[in-house]
Amino acid sequence: MAGGSGVAGGGDAPRGDLFAEMRRIKDASQLSYNRLADKTHYSRSSWERFLNGKQVPTRIAVEEFAAAAGADPAPLLALLDLAVVRDEAAEEPAAKAAERPKPGPAPVTPAAAAPSTPKPEEDTPVRRFAWSRILRTAAGVVAGALLGSLLTVFLIEPAGAGTARDGAAGTTGSPAATPALTRPSGPVKVGCKSDTCMRREPQAEDCQWDAITVRQTFLRGMSIQLRYSEACQAVWGRVENGNIGDTVMIKDKRSSSDEATIRMEHDTYTRMLAVTPDATWETITICGAIPSQKEQECSPLGAIKP
């Protein structure tokens, strides 16, 4: 979510209401900027901009702020949505006015009045923004589904390709254990980076093109892999050669986590967690579990106990 250039103190409502409420919660919870940075994925300088009205926070930042302060995120997210709608609605008429051609001389019309026509429903900036959001969401879902289907048929590595299958349980792989997928011709523009990738689908954001396996361990023949994309600055977990009901989980040093369960066939993967300079992929733990056998294997070994 793009940051605004509002003045310190919050600017006009509803943006100002959002900044004021976040500052009230910060003061009530006695959280310093350094403490917020320790408990979230955002730096001290980011929280100074968010809470001083210099930049509109991202949706994930608002959720993490509420969690750190022990507050309900719903009212803050509602104010954030109102601020975004107002900002984008305010920008659209100005852009339209710049594109609109200058009117020529008014044509001469007969004295007789033209038949009246029903007035169409008013096309307001807010209505156009709402439809635009709906269409973007639908397009993203369709594109993600199509991309996933194409990758399944053409691009995803066959079981066993490029990975060490003969290692014993608990063996950790190297970054070169699984080669990156074949890149498409031309540059690939990823859909997110670092904290904006939090809990998003890696394939939907085109993060899989340069992904490599940086951790790998095994459990009863099931391959448990931590995948890392340098372009997206994000990681996700993947299991191969498992069975329905087997799970994979990833967790970072701030206890953010995600989990996926095999629902069909033998493979699955989680959504993404962010990687930052002070929280690299080396700080991520990945675990695979076979609930039917009450067994779990992690890398680093023993990092999360069942």
Side-chain angles (χ1 to χ4, degrees):
M1 186 174 304
S5 58
V7 296
D12 296 334
R15 179 188 289 191
D17 293 340
L18 173 63
F19 294 140
E21 182 62 11
M22 289 182 70
R23 285 196 297 270
R24 184 193 67 78
I25 292 173
K26 173 185 176 295
D27 293 341
S29 61
Q30 298 182 339
L31 284 171
S32 66
Y33 291 124
N34 288 334
R35 186 62 178 154
L36 278 171
D38 290 339
K39 294 170 72 72
T40 68
H41 286 86
Y42 295 83
S43 65
R44 185 185 191 279
S45 59
S46 294
W47 286 116
E48 287 179 339
R49 292 193 300 272
F50 293 156
L51 293 168
N52 289 328
K54 297 178 181 177
Q55 180 180 351
V56 177
T58 64
R59 192 174 186 87
I60 292 174
V62 170
E63 292 173 347
E64 292 194 4
F65 171 79
D72 182 6
L76 295 175
L77 292 174
L79 288 173
L80 178 64
D81 289 340
L82 287 174
V84 173
V85 170
R86 177 162 179 160
D87 288 350
E88 296 196 15
E91 292 172 0
E92 187 170 338
K96 293 257 183 213
E99 298 174 357
R100 188 179 300 122
K102 295 182 179 180
V108 178
T109 57
S116 62
T117 57
K119 183 179 180 181
E121 187 176 2
E122 184 178 4
D123 184 18
T124 65
V126 173
R127 179 182 295 277
R128 287 194 296 272
F129 173 76
W131 275 108
S132 174
R133 173 172 287 185
I134 292 171
L135 291 174
R136 285 198 303 267
T137 302
V141 172
V142 172
L146 179 59
L147 181 59
S149 299
L150 291 174
L151 288 171
T152 300
V153 176
F154 298 107
L155 299 176
I156 292 184
E157 303 153 324
T163 57
R165 296 290 180 171
D166 54 351
T171 302
T172 301
S174 66
T178 302
L181 297 174
T182 303
R183 292 176 180 268
S185 59
V188 176
K189 183 178 180 181
V190 296
C192 64
K193 190 168 184 179
S194 193
D195 59 342
T196 61
C197 291
M198 282 289 290
R199 296 184 177 86
R200 292 191 179 184
E201 292 282 346
Q203 292 187 7
E205 303 300 331
D206 285 333
C207 297
Q208 79 280 9
W209 296 114
D210 70 331
I212 59 174
T213 297
V214 290
R215 289 194 193 281
Q216 185 176 26
T217 188
F218 296 88
L219 178 61
R220 288 182 176 264
M222 179 172 68
S223 175
I224 306 160
Q225 307 163 14
L226 180 67
R227 303 283 287 166
Y228 167 64
S229 165
E230 183 178 4
C232 291
Q233 289 294 291
V235 295
W236 61 95
R238 181 173 74 181
V239 291
E240 294 181 332
N241 290 343
N243 294 305
I244 293 174
D246 295 347
T247 62
V248 56
M249 183 184 77
I250 54 174
K251 187 175 183 179
D252 65 19
K253 69 176 186 179
R254 295 188 178 94
S255 296
S256 295
S257 63
D258 198 68
E259 183 175 345
T261 300
I262 298 178
R263 304 295 183 188
M264 57 185 300
E265 300 185 352
H266 304 285
D267 311 315
T268 192
Y269 59 89
T270 69
R271 295 172 298 179
M272 293 185 283
L273 294 183
V275 167
T276 61
D278 61 340
T280 62
W281 66 259
E282 287 91 346
T283 65
I284 306 294
T285 299
I286 181 165
C287 295
I290 304 177
S292 62
Q293 303 294 325
K294 297 182 179 179
E295 293 184 11
Q296 178 175 275
E297 189 70 32
C298 298
S299 179
L301 299 181
I304 299 177
K305 297 186 181 299

